[in-house]
Amino acid sequence: SRQSFKNSYAFVYSYYPFNLKQELLLGMGRKDGVAVGDPVVFHGLFVGKIKEAFEATALVQTIFDSRFESAVRVGEAGIDALLKGGDEPKLILITKDSRVNPGDSIYSAAPDIPYGIPIGQVREVRIDDNNPLGEATLNLGYTFREMRVVEIIIDK
């Protein structure tokens, strides 16, 4: 069976850039159908998911949170990697023989997020000869502070 989703736009009330959490408080909540785990996008790019849903507001854990991690795929070949959150989110666990290149698209591949939501592009790949796993920096096209209105993907 095919899932169906309803997208709802929400204003960002405030930012919580404390203790490297980088969370957003949104002006929508349970009364609007928002639930924990719902993905959040900005300009069509995945930025996080609902961490807590209150009656009229919701808290988003973003990819700028140092505790955020999610499975992703890279490029047309669908190379597996892990998105590691932080002030500058990055991809980790890239195998040395992977063909990951600057400009490759990054998209969601975690079971708790709809498959294929764009996240950004690879900026630079770093693979050390002494380490079997590499990492990559990202081009997101926005900053944490630019988010004023986001879109919540609500499972109907």
Side-chain angles (χ1 to χ4, degrees):
S1 75
R2 189 173 168 91
Q3 287 179 306
S4 73
F5 300 96
K6 173 183 94 176
N7 292 14
S8 296
Y9 291 91
F11 286 103
V12 175
Y13 279 168
S14 59
Y15 301 93
Y16 285 89
F18 309 112
N19 301 325
L20 302 178
K21 285 184 181 177
Q22 305 290 24
E23 297 173 338
L24 303 173
L25 184 65
L26 305 183
M28 290 183 71
R30 287 192 308 260
K31 69 177 178 54
D32 305 297
V34 175
V36 170
D38 286 346
V40 177
V41 298
F42 178 67
H43 294 308
L45 300 172
F46 176 82
V47 296
K49 54 188 175 179
I50 302 296
K51 176 182 173 182
E52 292 182 64
F54 308 104
E55 186 60 24
T57 60
L59 194 60
V60 179
Q61 180 187 31
T62 71
I63 65 172
F64 298 97
D65 183 329
S66 61
R67 298 165 303 164
F68 185 91
E69 290 186 347
S70 186
V72 297
R73 295 252 163 85
V74 183
E76 288 182 25
I79 305 296
D80 289 314
L82 184 69
L83 174 63
K84 174 74 177 131
D87 287 337
E88 292 190 23
K90 62 184 177 180
L91 299 182
I92 60 173
L93 305 180
I94 300 170
T95 58
K96 194 181 274 193
D97 60 348
S98 298
R99 301 241 189 273
V100 173
N101 298 298
D104 283 352
S105 296
I106 304 160
Y107 52 94
S108 62
D112 59 339
I113 301 168
Y115 186 85
I117 298 175
I119 296 168
Q121 295 181 324
V122 172
R123 179 171 61 216
E124 180 186 1
V125 181
R126 294 186 218 132
I127 296 184
D128 179 352
D129 288 338
N130 300 323
N131 190 338
L133 299 173
E135 60 182 46
T137 58
L138 311 182
N139 272 335
L140 298 173
Y142 66 93
T143 65
F144 178 72
R145 292 262 176 216
E146 286 178 53
M147 292 184 275
R148 296 284 188 249
V149 175
V150 296
E151 200 172 352
I152 305 169
I153 302 172
I154 299 172
D155 194 352
K156 286 206 260 190

